[in-house]
Every structure is written in C-alpha cells, then in structure tokens.
C-alpha cells in the first residue's frame, strides 16, 4: 500500500544550530543584510557621470521602483527622504523570502516568526518615533483621540486606538508576512515529498511512477508562484510601513 511519510512539522521549521543560537535562518538574515550593504555600496562607487550599467543600473531601477511605486503613491514628495529606509526594508525582506525557492537552502527566513516580528517592531518604533518627533507627547493625545471625537466617546475610542495602533498593527504586520511565507514553504515541501515518493516508489508499486509528473507540475507552478509571493510580501510590508509613517507625519500637519 502506498504511504507518504511527511516529516514532523518541527523538522521543517527548525534547523540544527551551526553554533548555539545561530542556525540557517540566522545565516540567511545575516547574508541578506550583507548583500544589501555590499550591493548598494558598490553601486554608489560607480561614476555618476557615466550611463548606469551593471550593478548601478539595477540599483537605480530599484530606487525608482520604491520612489514611484511606494513613496509617491503613499507619502508624496515629502516622503522621498525615506527612500533609503524603505528601499533597505524592501530588499532585505525580499532576500529573506527568496531562499524558499532556492535548492539546498529551501527555507525562507521569514517563515520563522522572529524576523517578521523584529521587522514589525522596527517599523512600529519608527512611526511612533516620527509622531513624537513632530508632535512631542501631544502625539499620543492625537493618536488616542482623533479630532472631532465627542467627549463621551473618548474612553471607548481611546481604548480602540490603543489596541489597534499599539498592539494590532505590529501583530498584523508580523502575521501577514510570517503566515504567507510559512504556508508557501509547507506547500512546496508537501508537493516535493509527494513527487519523490511517487518517482521512487517500490518495485511492487512501479505503476505509480508516471503519476509523479502531476505533483511535479504543481511543484514547478508553486515555485514560480512563490517567487511572486516573495516580491509581493516584501512590497506589501514596505508600502504599509510607508502608510504608517505618513499617518504619523500627517498628524503633525493637522495640528
């Protein structure tokens, strides 16, 4: 009888430490950060007087993508000063996502909750800091009680705003990125194991071998789809960060 042995879920998410507290997930994150720094450092060293080629051409294209596709759509020209921050955020998240479809590595670092949570708290601290910089402690008053809220409703509105801004926002950012990347990783593993199990079926089950093409086609499709998801999740996280920062700056303008 045909049987597919699926590894324990912990085996899909945990990796043996290279040394205490440092495993493949941490290695992917470190390498991703180094790639961002090295790539844009090399691009910045290119002669700006010459037509951009190679690394600089790719770097300029990525900058234009962030400025035109995210900043101008959410923050306007005043948000262009946030280009380095949002660009670094987008590229780092993408580089942490894409290893999920790379052979041998086959694990997106963002499929573990620690990195999405750290990034979400980083964004949370940023937009709270922006609000405090522009408004001082009065920012919290505006945050809890938007203009026009009746006095009788202020306790309820304040409670809702505290929960949504202080708790729900970083939580939703974390779960959105983490859950999407984890789900994709598990799907890829599932169809990969199914393909292998059918392709290398026992001699008595040789008739199952031709059927391995079906999960393999699905595996190829999901791999291509996960490349799109890697880009899309980096884009969604970054554009939401831009929206939150803009809202903090907008509260200053309203005063």
């Amino acid at each position: 009888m045909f049987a597919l042995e699926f590894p324990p879920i912990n085996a899909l998410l945990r990796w043996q430490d290279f040394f205490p507290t440092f495993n493949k997930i941490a290695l992917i994150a470190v390498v991703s950060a180094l790639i961002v720094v090295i790539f844009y450092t090399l691009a910045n060293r290119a002669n700006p007087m010459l037509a951009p080629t190679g690394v600089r051409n790719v770097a300029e294209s990525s900058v234009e993508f962030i400025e035109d596709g995210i900043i101008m759509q959410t923050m306007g020209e005043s948000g262009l000063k946030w280009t380095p921050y949002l660009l670094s955020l987008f590229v780092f998240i993408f580089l942490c996502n894409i290893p999920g479809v790379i052979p041998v590595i086959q694990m997106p670092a963002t499929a573990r909750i620690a990195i999405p949570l750290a990034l979400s708290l980083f964004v949370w601290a940023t937009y709270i800091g922006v609000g405090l910089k522009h408004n001082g402690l009065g920012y919290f008053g505006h945050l809890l009680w938007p203009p026009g809220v009746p006095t009788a409703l202020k306790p309820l509105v304040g409670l809702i705003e505290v929960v949504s801004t202080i708790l729900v926002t970083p939580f939703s950012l974390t779960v959105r990125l983490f859950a999407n990347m984890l789900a994709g990783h598990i799907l890829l593993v599932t169809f990969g194991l199914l393909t292998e199990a059918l392709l290398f079926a026992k001699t008595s089950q040789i008739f199952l071998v031709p059927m391995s093409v079906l999960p393999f086609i699905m595996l190829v499709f999901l791999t291509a789809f996960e490349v799109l998801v890697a880009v899309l999740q980096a884009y969604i996280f970054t554009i939401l960060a831009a929206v939150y920062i803009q809202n903090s700056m907008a509260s200053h303008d309203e005063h």
Side-chain angles (χ1 to χ4, degrees):
M1 188 175 188
F2 174 72
L4 172 63
E5 294 185 7
F6 197 81
I9 189 67
N10 198 46
L12 303 178
L13 302 179
R14 289 187 60 85
W15 299 89
Q16 184 176 1
D17 290 350
F18 297 120
F19 52 84
T21 74
F22 192 90
N23 58 17
K24 184 187 285 189
I25 302 299
L27 178 62
I28 292 171
V30 170
V31 171
S32 298
L34 289 175
I35 289 174
V36 174
V37 173
I38 294 172
F39 180 82
Y40 286 99
T41 298
L42 292 175
N44 190 54
R45 288 182 177 179
N47 190 341
M49 302 303 294
L50 301 176
T53 58
V55 172
R56 188 174 181 86
N57 189 43
V58 175
E60 289 190 2
S61 296
S62 64
V63 170
E64 290 176 1
F65 170 74
I66 296 298
E67 290 182 342
D68 297 337
I70 294 180
I71 295 176
M72 295 303 295
Q73 302 298 323
T74 59
M75 307 174 77
E77 291 187 8
S78 62
L80 291 176
K81 61 186 178 182
W82 288 95
T83 298
Y85 176 89
L86 296 174
L87 176 64
S88 300
L89 194 62
F90 174 84
V91 177
F92 176 75
I93 294 174
F94 171 74
L95 292 175
C96 285
N97 290 347
I98 204 63
V101 299
I102 298 176
V104 180
I105 303 177
Q106 295 174 320
M107 180 67 189
T110 44
R112 293 293 300 274
I113 199 168
I115 291 177
L117 178 59
L119 291 170
S120 298
L121 292 176
F122 181 48
V123 170
W124 176 84
T126 299
Y127 74 76
I128 293 294
V130 168
L132 289 173
K133 177 182 177 181
H134 288 306
N135 304 286
L137 294 178
Y139 169 70
F140 289 114
H142 181 275
L143 187 68
L144 297 178
W145 301 294
V149 175
T151 303
L153 293 179
K154 282 190 173 183
L156 177 60
V157 172
L159 177 61
I160 292 173
E161 290 297 327
V162 166
V163 172
S164 64
T165 304
I166 306 300
L167 300 177
V168 173
T169 296
F171 178 76
S172 65
L173 273 176
T174 300
V175 172
R176 182 182 292 105
L177 178 58
F178 162 70
N180 277 282
M181 299 312 300
L182 176 61
H185 174 60
I186 291 177
L187 281 173
L188 289 176
V189 170
T190 300
F191 282 95
L193 289 173
L194 184 57
T195 300
E196 181 182 18
L198 291 172
L199 185 62
F200 299 103
K202 297 178 181 178
T203 305
S204 60
Q205 300 171 333
I206 196 68
F207 66 92
L208 293 174
V209 173
M211 296 179 61
S212 64
V213 71
L214 298 177
F216 178 74
I217 290 173
M218 192 63 183
L219 179 62
V220 172
F221 169 78
L222 286 174
T223 299
F225 182 71
E226 282 302 303
V227 174
L228 176 62
V229 170
V231 178
L232 185 60
Q233 288 304 314
Y235 176 79
I236 290 173
F237 193 102
T238 307
I239 199 169
L240 287 175
V243 169
Y244 297 146
I245 293 170
Q246 173 59 23
N247 287 342
S248 292
M249 293 193 298
S251 65
H252 167 68
D253 296 336
E254 290 172 6
H255 287 288

